[in-house]
Amino acid sequence: MTPDEFRRVGHRVIDWLASYMERVESMPVRPSTEPGEVAAMLPDAPPESSEGWDAILADLDRIVVPNLMHWQHPGFLGYFPCNASGPAILGDLVSTGLGVQGMLWSTSPACTEIETVVLDWFADAIGLPSVFRSDAEGGESGGVILGTASEAALTAMIAARDATMHAHGATDPSRCTVYTSEQAHSSIMKAAGLCGIGRANVRTIPTGRSLALDPGALREVIQKDAASGMLPSYACATIGTTSTGAIDPLRAMGEITRAHDMWLHVDAAYAGSALVCPEHREMIEGVELADSFNFNPHKWLLTSFDCSLFWIRRRSDLLSAMAILPEYLRNAATDAGSVIDYRDWHIPLGRRFRALKLWFVLRHYGLAGLRAFIREHVRLAELLEGWIASDDRFVLCAPRCLSLLCFRLAAGDDATRTLMERVNASGEVFLTHTRVPDWGPTGEGDGAERYVIRVAIGATTVREDHIRRAWAIVSREADGVLGAGV
Ligand code: PLP
């Protein structure tokens, strides 16, 4: 493809994407695809000779679009959002177009240095203490962009495991133990399995009525493990759990982990985006006691997947676990020790220029624009919360966290499940569910585990009229479910 042909086709692709953005709201948010249906639309073998772009673009409309879950649809209220925005898409396009490999500083200095600076900007923008900035005293900290929160949890756990084993002169990682709440994301369990600590060595600590980790229970379990010869190594505090958005008590956890020379990782995958607003920073009170901190702008900060920000307090912990220097990667800057080589900060060697999209997002919206985006979604969630609270067919099941709320039908699990299925079948709204101890919004429930519907507001395009429409559909379908006596 010549640059001229690229220019012509590229304009058409951008036009196609812009038209997708305009049309997405008119499509069913969830596809009705049967397993194997998409594969059956593809030919048995790849084309032997070049196909024209008319055919390629037509297949986007014929094969791809009708078989997608439309995550950018304003009626998408399931899981957590996965934002795309114009500036982020353009940043990704430029990154791919430049085609650079940022594994070492020397393989593209701009790729490394823009990333370092943008993560320092972000550390300040979300209220992290300056000990996480790359220019903090001692030159030991800083941030890096990873693909996902799961990678961040694993990367931190590998560093913690090595630090613990080194401190105790141990050689067997299965002596290390990991602590997190029973409401934490499954990626913590997965990381322990992957890094040799083992899933059996993950202690899931009970939660209280707010579904946040109980620090007294954490202390007890750690003491018991230490007394029996295990090596307590890593604790993960979740700021905004996946099911209900519960906030673990960071300061209390930090005091415990400090007392036992353990690593404290903070998983703020979803809720971290809201930290751009100073009024939400209470939830990370005590963060100065953390060893690593992570959140995903690709969830709720207008930055297309993948973009997960990870800050570390002592980069030497990562380097001693990850750094390895074969002859073919040697270069003067690395040898002089005067640069960051991000390949030593994570598992892969190669890395994309992901900082570009974050840089574009920041420069396009400005911090004020990002704050307005978050505040509007929190306002919409408050509005919805009020409607649910004042309708006695429904029960709120946990305190609202930012733009996430959980509710059910008072009539019980089967009715709630049927309601969600009927709402999703409407094609206008998509909701997902979880099962949690139902303590209600103020902790006065009975704590029975129930099937509850989650609503996570955060699509780039969502407005108040969409949330009003979603509530009208939920309300209409609830009448249907209750009328049918489910
Ligand atoms: N942690 C929390 C609290 C999450 O909610 C999620 C996903 O929703 C994750 C971790 C995993 O995120 P990722 O897909 O970036 O690995």
Side-chain angles (χ1 to χ4, degrees):
M1 185 179 262
T2 63
D4 214 42
E5 198 182 354
F6 175 78
R7 185 175 291 116
R8 257 183 297 116
V9 177
H11 280 288
R12 286 182 68 187
V13 172
I14 295 283
D15 277 346
W16 184 89
L17 266 179
S19 135
Y20 173 76
M21 292 172 186
E22 286 162 353
R23 287 179 299 140
V24 68
E25 188 174 342
S26 65
M27 302 182 207
V29 56
R30 183 183 70 170
S32 52
T33 315
E34 294 295 332
E37 209 178 317
V38 177
M41 294 170 87
L42 300 175
D44 291 338
E48 191 58 37
S49 49
S50 168
E51 292 190 67
W53 276 90
D54 286 344
I56 297 172
L57 293 180
D59 279 351
L60 285 180
D61 288 318
R62 187 176 68 91
I63 301 175
V64 178
V65 171
N67 296 301
L68 291 178
M69 171 78 80
H70 294 291
W71 287 70
Q72 306 310 317
H73 191 297
F76 183 96
L77 303 171
Y79 305 110
F80 278 129
C82 190
N83 286 168
S85 73
I89 296 167
L90 295 174
D92 250 354
L93 181 65
V94 175
S95 160
T96 306
L98 294 176
V100 302
Q101 252 296 352
M103 56 198 182
L104 301 167
W105 176 88
S106 64
T107 59
S108 269
C111 181
T112 295
E113 294 192 13
I114 291 176
E115 184 159 332
T116 306
V117 170
V118 169
L119 269 96
D120 281 346
W121 287 352
F122 252 105
D124 293 345
I126 64 170
L128 285 187
S130 58
V131 290
F132 285 102
R133 285 180 57 103
S134 68
D135 52 7
E137 208 181 326
E140 267 281 69
S141 31
V144 61
I145 306 181
L146 305 180
T148 61
S150 303
E151 286 169 58
L154 174 61
T155 305
M157 201 181 291
I158 289 170
R161 177 202 66 191
D162 279 15
T164 303
M165 286 174 43
H166 184 254
H168 292 86
T171 50
D172 178 4
S174 71
R175 283 185 64 201
C176 295
T177 41
V178 163
Y179 305 81
T180 197
S181 102
E182 57 194 12
Q183 291 293 321
H185 191 263
S186 55
S187 50
I188 306 302
M189 189 63 85
K190 189 169 177 179
L194 289 174
C195 79
I197 289 178
R199 293 187 184 189
N201 284 5
V202 178
R203 314 294 189 230
T204 49
I205 306 299
T207 53
R209 284 170 184 255
S210 61
L211 298 184
L213 177 142
D214 171 357
L218 174 68
R219 187 181 295 106
E220 254 176 54
V221 179
I222 290 175
Q223 283 167 348
K224 204 166 136 218
D225 276 332
S228 70
M230 300 302 280
L231 304 176
S233 176
Y234 171 103
C236 173
T238 313
I239 301 301
T241 58
T242 313
S243 280
T244 65
I247 313 280
D248 286 341
L250 257 188
R251 177 167 299 287
M253 289 180 72
E255 283 165 1
I256 296 166
T257 51
R258 284 277 168 108
H260 288 85
D261 284 333
M262 294 169 59
W263 189 287
L264 180 61
H265 176 65
V266 180
D267 172 5
Y270 153 72
S273 293
L275 297 170
V276 293
C277 303
E279 67 270 27
H280 296 308
R281 295 199 188 138
E282 237 174 55
M283 60 188 176
I284 55 162
E285 202 279 314
V287 70
E288 68 278 10
L289 301 177
D291 298 286
S292 51
F293 183 94
N294 166 242
F295 88 99
N296 285 351
H298 70 229
K299 278 189 164 57
W300 192 25
L301 213 56
L302 291 159
T303 309
S304 312
F305 190 85
D306 53 354
C307 186
S308 187
L309 309 191
F310 178 61
W311 284 271
I312 181 131
R313 205 185 181 91
R314 290 170 306 279
R315 60 177 88 157
S316 53
D317 290 329
L318 272 186
L319 299 191
S320 62
M322 307 262 180
I324 179 159
L325 184 59
E327 184 56 35
Y328 44 80
L329 295 179
R330 289 199 90 99
N331 65 87
T334 297
D335 286 345
S338 54
V339 295
I340 288 179
D341 287 328
Y342 274 130
R343 74 186 180 108
D344 295 331
W345 291 47
H346 53 48
I347 295 161
L349 167 64
R351 59 198 326 271
R352 304 169 56 221
F353 197 166
R354 281 186 286 227
L356 265 185
K357 63 184 163 194
L358 201 56
W359 196 40
F360 280 19
V361 164
L362 265 174
R363 298 180 68 180
H364 177 83
Y365 294 102
L367 287 173
L370 298 183
R371 285 186 207 110
F373 176 75
I374 296 286
R375 283 176 181 146
E376 174 60 4
H377 293 173
V378 173
R379 185 186 76 81
L380 295 179
E382 279 167 357
L383 208 56
L384 179 59
E385 182 185 33
W387 297 332
I388 296 174
S390 59
D391 187 325
D392 57 14
R393 294 171 300 170
F394 296 96
V395 181
L396 287 162
C397 307
R400 177 180 52 78
C401 171
L402 303 164
S403 68
L404 171 68
L405 43 92
C406 293
F407 71 97
R408 64 181 174 88
L409 276 174
D413 280 7
D414 287 347
T416 305
R417 188 182 303 107
T418 310
L419 170 65
M420 193 180 82
E421 283 161 8
R422 289 177 70 139
V423 169
N424 288 349
S426 75
E428 289 188 62
V429 175
F430 178 71
L431 303 169
T432 55
H433 79 282
T434 188
R435 285 194 80 88
V436 281
D438 176 6
W439 291 109
T442 54
E444 282 158 16
D446 60 8
E449 188 160 295
R450 293 203 172 89
Y451 185 101
V452 309
I453 298 175
R454 295 166 73 262
V455 179
I457 299 175
T460 306
T461 49
V462 69
R463 296 184 311 262
E464 183 172 327
D465 53 312
H466 299 119
I467 298 304
R468 286 188 180 278
R469 178 74 189 140
W471 173 240
I473 292 169
V474 169
S475 187
R476 179 191 75 202
E477 296 303 332
D479 278 344
V481 173
L482 297 172
V486 176

